[in-house]
Amino acid sequence: MKTIPPGSTIGIVGGGQLGRMLGMAAAQLGYRIHVFAPASGPANDVASAFTEASYHQSHRLAAFAEACDVVTYEFENVPVGALALIADKVPVLPGLNALEIAQVRYAEKAFVQDLGGRTAPFGVANDFEELIPVLERIGVPAIIKTIRMGYDGKGQARIDAPGDARQAWHAVKRQPSIVEGFVDFSHEFSILIARGHDGASVTYKPTWNVHRGGILHRAVVPAPAAIAGQAAEAAALAERVADALDYVGVLALEFFATAEGPVFNEMAPRVHNSGHWTIEGAQTSQFENHIRAICGLPLGSSALTAAGVEMENLIGDEVERWPEILAERGAHLHLYGKDEARPGRKMGHVTRLIG
């Protein structure tokens, strides 16, 4: 693929905060962005053009593609069929194979197992009758998750005893689901890798992720020793995944640190919340490296800019802390411009450099 030079237009499918931060990184390198989304969102604030349309409106998608030099996406639940409609008109990166695998939870785990990665024991239940034998094989406690969609703890339920199965099935709205056995872990962490058209890649330091209510609360670098000792194996798996997908852009893989080694949880074929610290904490942010990768530019260094970094998400009305955060020496505040601070909604984040 030829280099897409500054001054070109990057299409972003999805209008959320990840699109906003991608747009800001693109603008720094001299690109324009064109957002395609069903409704106005945070990315619009930094866009030079916006198409408001359903992902199923093929004529609007075609016009959007004609206006862009390359297209990327900022969330993994965008309909693959929508992007397939435009893939012959404009490069769509990362490729659709990554999106197809990441959207189906059991396919994702099987794919990683084939590449030598560890996963939790799992099975598939398309209806309640299939759920019971899966639970008998895997055991309880277990987690049931819808095969498609769902994030930040949504679309899933815990099963502590066989008698909880029916309630859990209704909690996931009787949708085809994956059932996962519990993993005994000490920490959760993620590996972010940026890979270019030529196969060159850079990997960021492993990030310790601390969740609260199923939503990422803090991301910390450097990670504790329990994670650091497993980072090389996890990063090697991330590289195999990226190579197998012929991936272009930033890819995030989430892991559990266990006594047996890193256990793969899930992947996101996009920039990721656990990598927001890279804006101030790395020499090249995940957002800039994603733009560099999809445009065929050399990747930037992922080295740290400080001895340590901590990112804290501002969820719901936590955003009202903005005055005290601005008064805090060394704190870097990012607000997403959302108009309503609902419970569980990511309204912004703050990054603190340490040392």
Side-chain angles (χ1 to χ4, degrees):
M1 177 182 167
K2 66 178 182 180
T3 298
I4 297 171
S8 303
T9 297
I10 299 171
I12 299 178
V13 177
Q17 65 263 20
L18 297 179
R20 179 190 183 96
M21 288 180 272
L22 281 170
M24 294 167 73
Q28 179 183 329
L29 295 176
Y31 293 93
R32 299 177 179 85
I33 70 162
H34 186 154
V35 172
F36 187 105
S40 181
N44 290 43
D45 295 341
V46 299
S48 56
F50 172 49
T51 296
E52 183 174 358
S54 162
Y55 298 124
H56 303 290
Q57 290 182 266
S58 57
H59 65 289
R60 302 296 299 278
L61 281 164
F64 165 71
E66 291 294 334
C68 300
D69 298 289
V70 64
V71 168
T72 191
Y73 43 89
E74 61 110 41
F75 73 114
E76 65 267 44
N77 288 328
V78 58
V80 174
L83 296 182
L85 287 173
I86 63 174
D88 61 343
K89 299 178 175 64
V90 63
V92 177
L93 300 168
L96 301 190
N97 57 338
L99 197 61
E100 288 175 320
I101 291 171
Q103 285 184 354
V104 181
R105 285 189 164 112
Y106 67 81
E108 181 182 68
K109 281 186 163 49
F111 177 74
V112 168
Q113 282 185 340
D114 287 345
L115 293 172
R118 298 181 192 83
T119 73
F122 68 93
V124 176
N126 291 296
D127 53 40
F128 182 73
E129 286 67 32
E130 291 184 357
L131 175 59
I132 302 306
V134 170
L135 283 176
E136 290 174 349
R137 177 171 60 85
I138 290 176
V140 291
I143 296 287
I144 182 171
K145 303 176 182 178
T146 55
I147 286 175
R148 293 181 180 270
M149 309 294 280
Y151 61 94
D152 287 345
K154 300 178 178 69
Q156 61 182 264
R158 176 170 170 147
I159 302 174
D160 287 311
D164 298 335
R166 189 171 295 278
Q167 182 179 352
W169 182 248
H170 285 280
V172 297
K173 299 181 179 178
R174 302 179 297 279
Q175 296 183 65
S177 297
I178 183 173
V179 186
E180 300 176 9
F182 260 49
V183 174
D184 185 13
F185 65 93
S186 61
H187 298 77
E188 296 179 72
F189 70 100
S190 55
I191 298 287
L192 273 69
I193 183 171
R195 185 178 185 275
H197 290 275
D198 58 357
S201 64
V202 297
T203 303
Y204 290 91
K205 295 289 185 183
T207 305
W208 175 29
N209 299 323
V210 180
H211 292 81
R212 188 176 64 185
I215 302 174
L216 181 65
H217 172 49
R218 290 190 302 127
V220 181
V221 176
I227 294 172
Q230 302 185 8
E233 184 179 346
L237 176 61
E239 189 168 345
R240 293 199 299 276
V241 169
D243 287 344
L245 294 170
D246 196 19
Y247 196 88
V248 177
V250 167
L251 172 69
L253 277 73
E254 297 183 62
F255 293 91
F256 300 117
T258 78
E260 290 74 36
V263 172
F264 169 81
N265 181 29
E266 61 186 23
M267 70 178 185
R270 54 170 172 80
V271 289
H272 196 256
N273 192 184
S274 68
H276 289 359
W277 64 266
T278 63
I279 297 175
E280 288 85 21
Q283 290 185 11
T284 313
S285 76
Q286 64 163 342
F287 301 100
E288 181 178 335
N289 260 336
H290 188 83
I291 297 300
R292 286 177 178 233
I294 66 173
C295 291
L297 308 179
L299 298 176
S301 170
S302 60
L304 297 180
T305 60
V309 193
E310 178 178 311
M311 186 281 296
E312 177 190 359
N313 271 329
L314 301 176
I315 309 296
D317 61 9
E318 290 177 346
V319 72
E320 300 303 329
R321 292 167 42 208
W322 65 263
E324 65 184 76
I325 294 170
L326 285 176
E328 181 184 338
R329 183 182 295 272
H332 300 268
L333 179 65
H334 297 257
L335 299 180
Y336 304 150
K338 297 180 179 179
D339 55 359
E340 183 183 359
R342 297 192 300 268
R345 194 181 196 194
K346 295 172 183 173
M347 301 298 294
H349 71 268
V350 56
T351 303
R352 299 175 176 92
L353 302 184
I354 303 166

